[in-house]
Amino acid sequence: ICGIDEGALQLANGTLVVLDGSLGSLRRNPGAEDLEKAHERIRRQTAKREEQDLAASKLAMTADGHRIEVVANIRNAQEAREAVAAGAEGVGLLRSEFLFDDRDTAPSEDEQAAEYCAVAEALGRERPLVIRTLDAGGDKPLSYMPLPKEDNPFLGLRGVRVSLDRPDIFRTQLRAILRAAPIGNLHVMFPMVAAIEEVRAARKILLEEAGDRADSVKVGVMIEVPAAALIAEQLAREVDFFSIGTNDLTQYTLAMDRGHPKLAKKADALHPAVLRLIGMTVEGAHMHGKWVGVCGGIASDAMAVPVLAGLGVDELSVSIPAVGSVKAQLARVTMDEARKLAADVLRLGTAAEVRALLAPYAE
Ligand code: PEP
Ligand code: MG
């Protein structure tokens, strides 16, 4: 949980609290009634876990057999193995900036290639592996690549902009990633894209580095900036797939810092404005036969799953512990029900109204 009162850090040892990761809340000294409600929730969730464990081992699909891939967000090879064991059908987001975030010197091509190849090996030839190129800047400072101080780092050098600004580092990373192509089902994805020129420039460099191996890798972009969602149809002509980063898309759509403790509750990816942008992205991509994933935190929220399915999303990339619950949720709804739900929420005006309508789907 994040974005709660700083007082949480001052809790005395032994204080009774109710920590709810789904609601993102921490309640101190709960009364008897609150405590009983919490116990009831725990009982219900334990009962659901069996159903989720069963769902985790099956191919993800809706109750009427519509296939939606459920894959995982990971940071390294160890998590790749955990993801497969948890039932993930691949990896929808390898956050490559976390692989070497504990060091002061840039990793060499060989060091990076060893990590990417280890992840690819853990997944095998069939399971898709989406490696996101370095997403430094904003909320992800990199100690080995200090960026100049900026007044608005979230609106400055971030994601693919950093890579295009530092082609030496970018090319090294791409060469390292491409070495995993013979081992895995490789997809390369560029973060924080706002303009087609960025995609063309990044793709050109990738293709130069790939040479005659260009056909062995799929190229995609993250949809995290409203501009990218609004030109999804045009962007879809340039790439093979999209993955919607709802954490940043929400931040930029609502103009609310994703890590702001006072705004965290309001920066809700279920805001109808964000859902509309997701719908537009899917429409634009499908016009050109391209697939769309969602890899932001909302994909792991069981309550949001039917709406994302109804909006036409093809892949959900979720946190490893959520794989079972997301698959189980998909198995409970039909596409007709999901599409109706999506149409209904798009008529609403606030995130609170959306959450109220989706309450029956909460875990
Ligand atoms: C996102 O922005 O939703 C996303 C998946 O990327 P990150 O959280 O790493 O910025
Ligand atoms: Mg992001």
Side-chain angles (χ1 to χ4, degrees):
I1 67 171
C2 64
I4 60 167
D5 196 284
E6 247 180 279
L9 300 173
Q10 315 299 334
L11 280 178
N13 282 344
T15 309
L16 186 65
V17 301
V18 176
L19 174 71
D20 188 329
S22 303
L23 296 176
S25 66
L26 177 83
R27 252 170 304 136
R28 276 175 265 202
N29 302 314
E33 200 181 320
D34 275 352
L35 204 56
E36 180 43 35
K37 272 193 202 149
H39 280 300
E40 175 52 30
R41 255 171 84 76
I42 291 169
R43 277 193 293 273
R44 250 189 298 135
Q45 286 186 347
T46 311
K48 273 197 170 169
R49 204 144 294 149
E50 253 172 61
E51 180 198 358
Q52 292 168 3
D53 287 347
L54 191 69
S57 61
K58 294 188 180 156
L59 216 53
M61 60 180 78
T62 58
D64 54 336
H66 177 83
R67 178 92 170 98
I68 294 178
E69 279 183 32
V70 175
V71 293
N73 294 346
I74 63 160
R75 292 187 294 188
N76 51 41
Q78 171 59 25
E79 290 189 359
R81 289 185 283 273
E82 287 168 21
V84 172
E89 295 164 354
V91 162
L93 171 64
L94 168 65
R95 288 180 159 109
S96 67
E97 60 281 356
F98 290 120
L99 273 173
F100 301 99
D101 65 342
D102 56 346
R103 43 186 281 174
D104 298 331
T105 53
S108 68
E109 182 187 322
D110 283 350
E111 284 173 307
Q112 293 185 62
E115 294 290 341
Y116 301 135
C117 290
V119 173
E121 260 157 32
L123 297 181
R125 285 287 309 150
E126 300 301 322
R127 294 186 190 90
L129 163 60
V130 181
I131 302 183
R132 175 172 79 183
T133 58
L134 220 51
D135 186 23
D139 58 320
K140 303 183 200 78
L142 258 193
S143 51
Y144 69 81
M145 196 170 59
L147 294 168
K149 197 168 161 21
E150 297 178 302
D151 285 345
N152 287 304
F154 281 102
L155 304 181
L157 276 188
R158 267 203 77 180
V160 75
R161 299 171 189 174
V162 175
S163 294
L164 293 174
D165 190 56
R166 296 291 308 270
D168 49 333
I169 289 184
F170 190 37
R171 283 183 188 272
T172 305
Q173 181 177 32
L174 292 174
R175 279 197 296 275
I177 292 174
L178 286 161
R179 281 164 62 179
I183 306 170
N185 180 357
L186 187 66
H187 297 60
V188 175
M189 178 161 77
F190 305 125
M192 281 297 300
V193 162
I196 288 178
E197 292 89 335
E198 293 166 338
V199 184
R200 289 189 183 143
R203 194 162 183 271
K204 182 167 172 282
I205 296 175
L206 172 65
L207 295 183
E208 281 167 12
E209 292 301 337
D212 53 14
R213 289 170 300 166
D215 286 345
S216 63
V217 51
K218 298 268 185 290
V219 185
V221 291
M222 291 197 69
I223 304 292
E224 308 183 90
V225 180
L230 294 165
I231 55 162
E233 191 268 319
Q234 291 85 345
L235 260 181
R237 300 167 198 226
E238 311 276 335
V239 294
D240 300 308
F241 68 94
F242 290 155
S243 187
I244 306 176
T246 49
N247 308 333
D248 276 309
L249 186 62
T250 304
Q251 155 168 271
Y252 292 120
T253 303
L254 303 181
M256 287 182 189
D257 184 336
R258 61 191 275 180
H260 196 297
K262 294 234 161 82
L263 298 176
K265 281 258 159 19
K266 290 191 185 140
D268 189 341
L270 287 178
H271 191 292
V274 180
L275 295 174
R276 271 181 192 279
L277 290 172
I278 295 173
M280 289 183 69
T281 303
V282 171
E283 237 172 72
H286 286 182
M287 273 185 208
H288 296 282
K290 309 294 165 70
W291 63 265
V292 181
V294 174
C295 61
I298 200 68
S300 302
D301 185 341
M303 187 193 238
V305 166
V307 169
L308 296 175
L311 288 170
V313 165
D314 306 287
E315 177 237 50
L316 297 169
S317 193
V318 308
S319 66
I320 298 170
V323 169
S325 63
V326 168
K327 283 188 171 182
Q329 185 70 296
L330 279 175
R332 282 184 214 119
V333 290
T334 62
M335 278 308 283
D336 275 351
E337 185 184 351
R339 286 195 194 100
K340 176 163 186 323
L341 212 52
D344 287 348
V345 296
L346 289 184
R347 276 191 283 272
L348 301 174
T350 71
E353 288 165 2
V354 173
R355 285 196 175 269
L357 192 82
L358 298 180
Y361 298 91
E363 291 269 90

